[in-house]
Short mmCIF file of all heavy atoms in Angstrom, two decimals:
data_model
loop_
_atom_site.label_atom_id
_atom_site.label_comp_id
_atom_site.label_asym_id
_atom_site.label_seq_id
_atom_site.Cartn_x
_atom_site.Cartn_y
_atom_site.Cartn_z
N PRO A 674 33.46 128.00 -78.16
CA PRO A 674 32.43 127.58 -77.22
C PRO A 674 32.56 126.10 -76.86
O PRO A 674 33.13 125.36 -77.66
CB PRO A 674 31.12 127.81 -78.00
CG PRO A 674 31.47 128.55 -79.24
CD PRO A 674 32.93 128.38 -79.46
N PRO A 675 32.06 125.65 -75.74
CA PRO A 675 31.27 126.45 -74.81
C PRO A 675 32.09 127.29 -73.83
O PRO A 675 31.62 128.32 -73.38
CB PRO A 675 30.48 125.37 -74.02
CG PRO A 675 31.31 124.13 -74.12
CD PRO A 675 32.04 124.20 -75.43
N VAL A 676 33.34 126.87 -73.52
CA VAL A 676 34.03 127.59 -72.44
C VAL A 676 35.41 128.10 -72.84
O VAL A 676 36.26 128.35 -72.00
CB VAL A 676 34.12 126.72 -71.15
CG1 VAL A 676 32.75 126.38 -70.62
CG2 VAL A 676 34.94 125.45 -71.38
N ASN A 677 35.63 128.26 -74.16
CA ASN A 677 36.94 128.73 -74.63
C ASN A 677 38.10 127.86 -74.15
O ASN A 677 39.12 128.37 -73.66
CB ASN A 677 37.17 130.20 -74.23
CG ASN A 677 36.39 131.15 -75.12
OD1 ASN A 677 36.19 130.87 -76.30
ND2 ASN A 677 35.90 132.23 -74.54
N GLY A 678 37.90 126.56 -74.25
CA GLY A 678 39.00 125.64 -73.96
C GLY A 678 40.16 125.97 -74.90
O GLY A 678 39.96 126.22 -76.10
N LEU A 679 41.38 125.98 -74.35
CA LEU A 679 42.54 126.45 -75.12
C LEU A 679 43.11 125.32 -75.98
O LEU A 679 44.23 124.86 -75.76
CB LEU A 679 43.59 127.03 -74.16
CG LEU A 679 43.13 128.36 -73.51
CD1 LEU A 679 43.87 128.62 -72.21
CD2 LEU A 679 43.33 129.52 -74.48
N ARG A 710 30.25 134.06 -70.94
CA ARG A 710 30.27 132.87 -70.09
C ARG A 710 31.68 132.56 -69.58
O ARG A 710 31.85 132.12 -68.44
CB ARG A 710 29.74 131.68 -70.89
CG ARG A 710 29.69 130.40 -70.09
CD ARG A 710 29.10 129.27 -70.91
NE ARG A 710 28.95 128.09 -70.10
CZ ARG A 710 28.58 126.92 -70.58
NH1 ARG A 710 28.27 126.79 -71.86
NH2 ARG A 710 28.45 125.87 -69.79
N ALA A 711 32.65 132.77 -70.45
CA ALA A 711 34.00 132.36 -70.04
C ALA A 711 35.08 133.17 -70.73
O ALA A 711 35.07 133.30 -71.95
CB ALA A 711 34.21 130.88 -70.36
N SER A 713 38.14 131.89 -70.19
CA SER A 713 38.54 130.56 -70.65
C SER A 713 38.45 129.56 -69.51
O SER A 713 38.83 129.87 -68.37
CB SER A 713 39.97 130.58 -71.19
OG SER A 713 40.43 129.25 -71.34
N GLY A 714 37.91 128.38 -69.81
CA GLY A 714 37.84 127.30 -68.81
C GLY A 714 39.13 126.52 -68.71
O GLY A 714 39.21 125.53 -68.00
N GLY A 715 40.16 126.95 -69.45
CA GLY A 715 41.46 126.29 -69.32
C GLY A 715 41.85 125.50 -70.54
O GLY A 715 41.19 125.57 -71.59
N ALA A 716 42.90 124.71 -70.38
CA ALA A 716 43.36 123.86 -71.48
C ALA A 716 42.20 122.97 -71.92
O ALA A 716 41.32 122.65 -71.12
CB ALA A 716 44.52 123.01 -71.00
N ASP A 717 42.20 122.59 -73.18
CA ASP A 717 41.15 121.70 -73.65
C ASP A 717 41.46 120.29 -73.17
O ASP A 717 42.39 119.64 -73.66
CB ASP A 717 41.10 121.74 -75.19
CG ASP A 717 39.88 121.01 -75.71
OD1 ASP A 717 39.37 120.12 -74.99
OD2 ASP A 717 39.43 121.32 -76.82
N ILE A 718 40.68 119.85 -72.20
CA ILE A 718 40.99 118.56 -71.55
C ILE A 718 40.91 117.41 -72.54
O ILE A 718 41.56 116.39 -72.37
CB ILE A 718 40.03 118.28 -70.38
CG1 ILE A 718 39.79 119.53 -69.54
CG2 ILE A 718 40.60 117.22 -69.47
CD1 ILE A 718 38.67 119.34 -68.53
N ARG A 719 40.11 117.61 -73.57
CA ARG A 719 39.96 116.51 -74.55
C ARG A 719 41.25 116.26 -75.32
O ARG A 719 41.43 115.20 -75.91
CB ARG A 719 38.85 116.84 -75.55
CG ARG A 719 37.48 116.72 -74.94
CD ARG A 719 36.44 117.33 -75.86
NE ARG A 719 35.41 117.94 -75.07
CZ ARG A 719 34.28 117.34 -74.74
NH1 ARG A 719 34.04 116.13 -75.16
NH2 ARG A 719 33.38 117.94 -73.99
N GLU A 720 42.12 117.25 -75.33
CA GLU A 720 43.38 117.09 -76.07
C GLU A 720 44.45 116.34 -75.27
O GLU A 720 45.46 115.93 -75.84
CB GLU A 720 43.94 118.47 -76.46
CG GLU A 720 43.27 119.09 -77.65
CD GLU A 720 43.97 120.36 -78.11
OE1 GLU A 720 44.94 120.81 -77.47
OE2 GLU A 720 43.52 120.92 -79.13
N PHE A 721 44.20 116.19 -73.95
CA PHE A 721 45.24 115.57 -73.11
C PHE A 721 45.62 114.20 -73.66
O PHE A 721 44.78 113.44 -74.11
CB PHE A 721 44.76 115.43 -71.67
CG PHE A 721 44.79 116.72 -70.90
CD1 PHE A 721 45.07 117.93 -71.52
CD2 PHE A 721 44.53 116.75 -69.54
CE1 PHE A 721 45.08 119.12 -70.82
CE2 PHE A 721 44.54 117.93 -68.82
CZ PHE A 721 44.81 119.12 -69.47
N ALA A 726 47.81 118.25 -77.74
CA ALA A 726 48.09 118.93 -76.47
C ALA A 726 49.49 119.54 -76.50
O ALA A 726 49.72 120.62 -75.95
CB ALA A 726 47.96 117.94 -75.32
N LEU A 727 50.41 118.83 -77.13
CA LEU A 727 51.80 119.28 -77.13
C LEU A 727 52.14 120.09 -78.38
O LEU A 727 53.17 120.77 -78.43
CB LEU A 727 52.74 118.08 -77.03
CG LEU A 727 52.57 117.23 -75.76
CD1 LEU A 727 53.44 115.99 -75.81
CD2 LEU A 727 52.91 118.06 -74.52
N ASN A 731 52.23 125.29 -77.92
CA ASN A 731 51.55 124.77 -76.74
C ASN A 731 51.26 125.93 -75.80
O ASN A 731 51.68 127.07 -76.06
CB ASN A 731 52.36 123.63 -76.09
CG ASN A 731 53.70 124.12 -75.55
OD1 ASN A 731 53.79 125.22 -75.01
ND2 ASN A 731 54.73 123.30 -75.71
N LEU A 732 50.57 125.64 -74.71
CA LEU A 732 50.10 126.76 -73.88
C LEU A 732 51.26 127.54 -73.28
O LEU A 732 51.21 128.78 -73.18
CB LEU A 732 49.15 126.23 -72.79
CG LEU A 732 48.40 127.30 -72.01
CD1 LEU A 732 47.61 128.24 -72.93
CD2 LEU A 732 47.44 126.66 -71.00
N ASN A 733 52.32 126.82 -72.92
CA ASN A 733 53.48 127.53 -72.35
C ASN A 733 54.10 128.48 -73.38
O ASN A 733 54.50 129.59 -73.05
CB ASN A 733 54.51 126.52 -71.85
CG ASN A 733 54.09 125.95 -70.51
OD1 ASN A 733 54.15 126.65 -69.50
ND2 ASN A 733 53.63 124.72 -70.50
N VAL A 753 33.96 132.60 -66.50
CA VAL A 753 34.88 131.63 -65.91
C VAL A 753 36.31 131.92 -66.35
O VAL A 753 36.56 132.15 -67.53
CB VAL A 753 34.46 130.21 -66.38
CG1 VAL A 753 35.56 129.21 -66.12
CG2 VAL A 753 33.14 129.80 -65.72
N CYS A 754 37.23 131.94 -65.41
CA CYS A 754 38.65 132.10 -65.75
C CYS A 754 39.40 131.05 -64.95
O CYS A 754 39.70 131.25 -63.77
CB CYS A 754 39.11 133.51 -65.42
SG CYS A 754 40.86 133.77 -65.78
N MET A 755 39.64 129.92 -65.58
CA MET A 755 40.15 128.78 -64.82
C MET A 755 41.33 128.12 -65.49
O MET A 755 41.47 128.15 -66.71
CB MET A 755 39.05 127.74 -64.67
CG MET A 755 37.89 128.21 -63.79
SD MET A 755 36.72 126.90 -63.49
CE MET A 755 35.63 127.73 -62.34
N GLY A 756 42.12 127.47 -64.66
CA GLY A 756 43.21 126.64 -65.16
C GLY A 756 44.07 127.41 -66.13
O GLY A 756 44.53 128.53 -65.86
N GLY A 757 44.30 126.81 -67.29
CA GLY A 757 45.12 127.44 -68.32
C GLY A 757 44.61 128.83 -68.68
O GLY A 757 45.40 129.69 -69.10
N GLY A 758 43.33 129.08 -68.52
CA GLY A 758 42.76 130.40 -68.80
C GLY A 758 43.34 131.43 -67.85
O GLY A 758 43.74 132.54 -68.25
N LEU A 759 43.41 131.07 -66.57
CA LEU A 759 43.99 131.99 -65.58
C LEU A 759 45.49 132.11 -65.82
O LEU A 759 46.08 133.20 -65.69
CB LEU A 759 43.70 131.47 -64.16
CG LEU A 759 44.26 132.31 -63.01
CD1 LEU A 759 43.79 133.76 -63.08
CD2 LEU A 759 43.87 131.72 -61.65
N GLU A 760 46.11 131.02 -66.21
CA GLU A 760 47.56 131.06 -66.46
C GLU A 760 47.87 131.99 -67.64
O GLU A 760 48.85 132.74 -67.61
CB GLU A 760 48.08 129.64 -66.73
CG GLU A 760 48.00 128.79 -65.47
CD GLU A 760 48.37 127.34 -65.72
OE1 GLU A 760 47.68 126.68 -66.52
OE2 GLU A 760 49.34 126.87 -65.12
N GLN A 775 34.60 133.97 -62.10
CA GLN A 775 35.00 132.82 -61.26
C GLN A 775 36.45 132.45 -61.55
O GLN A 775 36.78 132.01 -62.65
CB GLN A 775 34.08 131.64 -61.52
CG GLN A 775 32.66 131.87 -61.03
CD GLN A 775 32.62 132.11 -59.52
OE1 GLN A 775 32.96 131.24 -58.75
NE2 GLN A 775 32.22 133.32 -59.11
N ALA A 777 39.87 130.34 -60.76
CA ALA A 777 40.33 129.09 -60.12
C ALA A 777 41.49 128.47 -60.88
O ALA A 777 41.66 128.68 -62.08
CB ALA A 777 39.18 128.09 -60.05
N LEU A 778 42.25 127.69 -60.13
CA LEU A 778 43.19 126.75 -60.74
C LEU A 778 42.69 125.37 -60.33
O LEU A 778 43.13 124.82 -59.32
CB LEU A 778 44.62 127.02 -60.25
CG LEU A 778 45.29 128.28 -60.80
CD1 LEU A 778 46.67 128.51 -60.19
CD2 LEU A 778 45.42 128.21 -62.34
N PRO A 779 41.74 124.82 -61.07
CA PRO A 779 41.07 123.58 -60.61
C PRO A 779 41.75 122.30 -61.07
O PRO A 779 41.19 121.22 -60.95
CB PRO A 779 39.68 123.70 -61.28
CG PRO A 779 39.95 124.46 -62.54
CD PRO A 779 41.15 125.33 -62.31
N GLU A 780 42.97 122.41 -61.60
CA GLU A 780 43.64 121.23 -62.19
C GLU A 780 43.68 120.04 -61.24
O GLU A 780 43.57 118.90 -61.68
CB GLU A 780 45.05 121.60 -62.64
CG GLU A 780 45.11 122.44 -63.91
CD GLU A 780 44.98 123.94 -63.69
OE1 GLU A 780 44.54 124.35 -62.60
OE2 GLU A 780 45.32 124.70 -64.61
N VAL A 781 43.86 120.33 -59.94
CA VAL A 781 43.99 119.24 -58.98
C VAL A 781 42.77 118.31 -59.03
O VAL A 781 42.87 117.11 -58.80
CB VAL A 781 44.23 119.82 -57.56
CG1 VAL A 781 42.96 120.44 -56.99
CG2 VAL A 781 44.80 118.77 -56.62
N LYS A 782 41.63 118.88 -59.38
CA LYS A 782 40.40 118.06 -59.46
C LYS A 782 40.45 117.10 -60.64
O LYS A 782 39.65 116.17 -60.73
CB LYS A 782 39.17 118.96 -59.60
CG LYS A 782 38.90 119.80 -58.38
CD LYS A 782 37.62 120.58 -58.57
CE LYS A 782 37.33 121.47 -57.38
NZ LYS A 782 36.21 122.38 -57.65
N LEU A 783 41.37 117.36 -61.55
CA LEU A 783 41.55 116.45 -62.68
C LEU A 783 42.81 115.60 -62.47
O LEU A 783 43.31 114.97 -63.40
CB LEU A 783 41.67 117.24 -63.98
CG LEU A 783 40.48 118.13 -64.33
CD1 LEU A 783 40.80 119.00 -65.54
CD2 LEU A 783 39.24 117.29 -64.61
N ILE A 785 45.83 116.61 -61.85
CA ILE A 785 47.08 117.22 -62.34
C ILE A 785 47.37 118.48 -61.53
O ILE A 785 46.71 118.73 -60.52
CB ILE A 785 46.99 117.55 -63.85
CG1 ILE A 785 45.73 118.37 -64.14
CG2 ILE A 785 46.99 116.29 -64.68
CD1 ILE A 785 45.59 118.84 -65.58
N LEU A 786 48.34 119.27 -61.97
CA LEU A 786 48.53 120.59 -61.36
C LEU A 786 48.60 121.60 -62.50
O LEU A 786 48.72 121.22 -63.68
CB LEU A 786 49.75 120.65 -60.44
CG LEU A 786 51.13 120.15 -60.85
CD1 LEU A 786 51.58 120.65 -62.17
CD2 LEU A 786 52.15 120.51 -59.79
N PRO A 787 48.48 122.88 -62.17
CA PRO A 787 48.57 123.88 -63.24
C PRO A 787 49.91 123.70 -63.93
O PRO A 787 50.95 123.67 -63.26
CB PRO A 787 48.51 125.21 -62.48
CG PRO A 787 47.85 124.88 -61.17
CD PRO A 787 48.27 123.48 -60.85
N GLY A 788 49.88 123.55 -65.25
CA GLY A 788 51.11 123.20 -65.95
C GLY A 788 51.61 124.29 -66.88
O GLY A 788 52.47 124.05 -67.71
N ALA A 789 51.05 125.48 -66.74
CA ALA A 789 51.50 126.56 -67.61
C ALA A 789 51.84 127.79 -66.77
O ALA A 789 51.47 128.92 -67.07
CB ALA A 789 50.44 126.89 -68.65
N GLY A 790 52.53 127.50 -65.66
CA GLY A 790 53.06 128.60 -64.85
C GLY A 790 52.19 129.02 -63.68
O GLY A 790 52.59 129.87 -62.89
N GLY A 791 51.01 128.42 -63.54
CA GLY A 791 50.09 128.83 -62.47
C GLY A 791 50.68 128.72 -61.08
O GLY A 791 50.48 129.58 -60.23
N GLU A 907 57.59 122.49 -62.38
CA GLU A 907 56.14 122.39 -62.54
C GLU A 907 55.82 121.54 -63.78
O GLU A 907 54.95 120.67 -63.77
CB GLU A 907 55.55 123.80 -62.69
CG GLU A 907 54.05 123.81 -62.94
CD GLU A 907 53.57 125.16 -63.47
OE1 GLU A 907 53.67 125.39 -64.70
OE2 GLU A 907 53.09 125.97 -62.67
N ARG A 908 56.53 121.81 -64.84
CA ARG A 908 56.32 121.09 -66.11
C ARG A 908 56.58 119.58 -65.94
O ARG A 908 55.84 118.75 -66.42
CB ARG A 908 57.28 121.67 -67.16
CG ARG A 908 57.04 121.23 -68.56
CD ARG A 908 55.82 121.92 -69.14
NE ARG A 908 55.14 121.04 -70.07
CZ ARG A 908 53.85 121.06 -70.32
NH1 ARG A 908 53.07 121.93 -69.72
NH2 ARG A 908 53.32 120.23 -71.16
N PHE A 911 53.75 118.10 -64.05
CA PHE A 911 52.56 118.03 -64.91
C PHE A 911 52.66 116.83 -65.85
O PHE A 911 51.72 116.04 -65.99
CB PHE A 911 52.43 119.33 -65.71
CG PHE A 911 51.22 119.35 -66.61
CD1 PHE A 911 49.98 119.79 -66.15
CD2 PHE A 911 51.30 118.92 -67.94
CE1 PHE A 911 48.86 119.79 -66.97
CE2 PHE A 911 50.19 118.92 -68.76
CZ PHE A 911 48.97 119.36 -68.27
N PHE A 927 34.91 113.38 -64.95
CA PHE A 927 34.45 114.72 -65.35
C PHE A 927 33.60 114.63 -66.62
O PHE A 927 32.48 115.12 -66.68
CB PHE A 927 35.67 115.64 -65.59
CG PHE A 927 35.32 117.02 -66.09
CD1 PHE A 927 34.99 118.03 -65.20
CD2 PHE A 927 35.30 117.30 -67.45
CE1 PHE A 927 34.66 119.29 -65.66
CE2 PHE A 927 34.96 118.57 -67.92
CZ PHE A 927 34.64 119.57 -67.01
N PHE A 928 34.14 113.98 -67.64
CA PHE A 928 33.39 113.88 -68.89
C PHE A 928 32.23 112.90 -68.76
O PHE A 928 31.18 113.10 -69.36
CB PHE A 928 34.32 113.47 -70.05
CG PHE A 928 35.23 114.58 -70.48
CD1 PHE A 928 36.60 114.47 -70.41
CD2 PHE A 928 34.68 115.78 -70.95
CE1 PHE A 928 37.43 115.52 -70.80
CE2 PHE A 928 35.50 116.83 -71.35
CZ PHE A 928 36.88 116.70 -71.27
N ARG A 931 29.14 114.51 -67.39
CA ARG A 931 28.46 115.35 -68.38
C ARG A 931 27.83 114.51 -69.48
O ARG A 931 26.74 114.81 -69.95
CB ARG A 931 29.44 116.38 -68.94
CG ARG A 931 29.64 117.53 -67.96
CD ARG A 931 30.97 118.21 -68.05
NE ARG A 931 31.08 119.20 -67.00
CZ ARG A 931 31.45 118.93 -65.75
NH1 ARG A 931 31.76 117.71 -65.39
NH2 ARG A 931 31.50 119.90 -64.83
N ALA A 932 28.50 113.43 -69.87
CA ALA A 932 27.94 112.56 -70.91
C ALA A 932 26.66 111.90 -70.42
O ALA A 932 25.69 111.74 -71.18
CB ALA A 932 28.96 111.50 -71.31
N LYS A 935 23.30 113.25 -71.17
CA LYS A 935 22.85 113.31 -72.57
C LYS A 935 22.22 111.98 -72.99
O LYS A 935 22.75 110.92 -72.68
CB LYS A 935 24.02 113.64 -73.48
CG LYS A 935 24.64 115.00 -73.16
CD LYS A 935 25.77 115.33 -74.12
CE LYS A 935 26.26 116.76 -73.96
NZ LYS A 935 26.93 117.06 -72.71
N GLU A 941 18.97 118.00 -77.03
CA GLU A 941 19.08 118.89 -75.88
C GLU A 941 17.99 119.96 -75.86
O GLU A 941 17.66 120.50 -74.82
CB GLU A 941 20.46 119.53 -75.84
CG GLU A 941 21.51 118.48 -75.61
CD GLU A 941 22.82 119.00 -75.06
OE1 GLU A 941 22.88 120.16 -74.66
OE2 GLU A 941 23.77 118.20 -75.04
N LYS A 1117 19.22 117.49 -62.13
CA LYS A 1117 20.26 118.52 -62.01
C LYS A 1117 19.88 119.51 -60.90
O LYS A 1117 20.70 119.92 -60.11
CB LYS A 1117 20.42 119.23 -63.35
CG LYS A 1117 21.79 119.79 -63.55
CD LYS A 1117 22.04 120.18 -64.98
CE LYS A 1117 23.44 120.72 -65.13
NZ LYS A 1117 23.71 121.21 -66.46
C1 LIG B 2547 44.45 123.00 -67.59
O1 LIG B 2547 44.05 124.11 -67.81
C2 LIG B 2547 45.88 122.57 -67.68
C3 LIG B 2547 46.84 123.70 -67.66
O2 LIG B 2547 47.14 124.10 -66.36
C4 LIG B 2547 48.15 123.33 -68.30
C5 LIG B 2547 48.14 122.91 -69.69
C6 LIG B 2547 49.49 122.72 -70.27
N1 LIG B 2547 38.20 121.42 -71.81
O3 LIG B 2547 30.61 121.88 -66.76
P1 LIG B 2547 29.72 122.31 -67.87
C7 LIG B 2547 33.05 121.37 -71.57
S1 LIG B 2547 43.39 121.75 -67.21
C8 LIG B 2547 37.31 120.87 -72.64
O4 LIG B 2547 28.49 121.54 -68.12
P2 LIG B 2547 29.27 124.76 -66.47
C9 LIG B 2547 32.27 120.31 -70.83
O5 LIG B 2547 32.77 119.03 -71.10
C10 LIG B 2547 41.81 122.47 -67.31
N2 LIG B 2547 35.96 120.91 -72.43
O6 LIG B 2547 29.34 123.85 -67.75
C11 LIG B 2547 30.89 120.54 -71.37
O7 LIG B 2547 30.82 119.97 -72.66
P3 LIG B 2547 29.49 119.32 -73.24
C12 LIG B 2547 41.49 123.25 -66.11
C13 LIG B 2547 35.53 121.54 -71.35
O8 LIG B 2547 28.88 126.10 -66.96
C14 LIG B 2547 30.83 122.04 -71.54
O9 LIG B 2547 32.19 122.47 -71.57
N3 LIG B 2547 40.11 123.63 -66.14
C15 LIG B 2547 36.41 122.13 -70.44
O10 LIG B 2547 28.47 124.10 -65.42
C16 LIG B 2547 30.10 122.75 -70.43
O11 LIG B 2547 30.63 122.33 -69.18
C17 LIG B 2547 39.16 122.92 -65.55
O12 LIG B 2547 39.42 121.94 -64.90
C18 LIG B 2547 37.80 122.06 -70.71
N4 LIG B 2547 38.72 122.61 -69.90
O13 LIG B 2547 30.76 124.83 -65.91
C19 LIG B 2547 37.77 123.43 -65.73
N5 LIG B 2547 35.69 122.67 -69.44
O14 LIG B 2547 28.52 120.45 -73.35
C20 LIG B 2547 36.82 122.29 -65.92
C21 LIG B 2547 34.41 122.44 -69.74
O15 LIG B 2547 29.91 118.73 -74.53
N6 LIG B 2547 35.50 122.77 -66.24
N7 LIG B 2547 34.29 121.76 -70.89
O16 LIG B 2547 29.08 118.31 -72.22
C22 LIG B 2547 34.63 123.17 -65.32
O17 LIG B 2547 34.90 123.16 -64.14
C23 LIG B 2547 33.29 123.60 -65.80
O18 LIG B 2547 33.05 122.99 -67.03
C24 LIG B 2547 33.13 125.13 -65.99
C25 LIG B 2547 31.78 125.42 -66.65
C26 LIG B 2547 33.17 125.78 -64.59
C27 LIG B 2547 34.24 125.67 -66.85
#
Side-chain angles (χ1 to χ4, degrees):
V676 298
N677 283 326
L679 291 157
R710 182 178 185 186
S713 167
D717 189 335
I718 317 170
R719 287 168 215 265
E720 281 188 356
F721 283 8
L727 300 174
N731 65 38
L732 191 55
N733 282 288
V753 165
C754 179
M755 293 187 175
L759 179 56
E760 292 175 299
Q775 292 299 297
L778 287 176
E780 286 86 344
V781 73
K782 294 184 181 171
L783 301 172
I785 52 176
L786 50 49
E907 177 196 83
R908 191 74 213 151
F911 181 87
F927 177 86
F928 287 119
R931 282 152 184 84
K935 298 182 172 68
E941 295 201 10
K1117 207 166 181 184

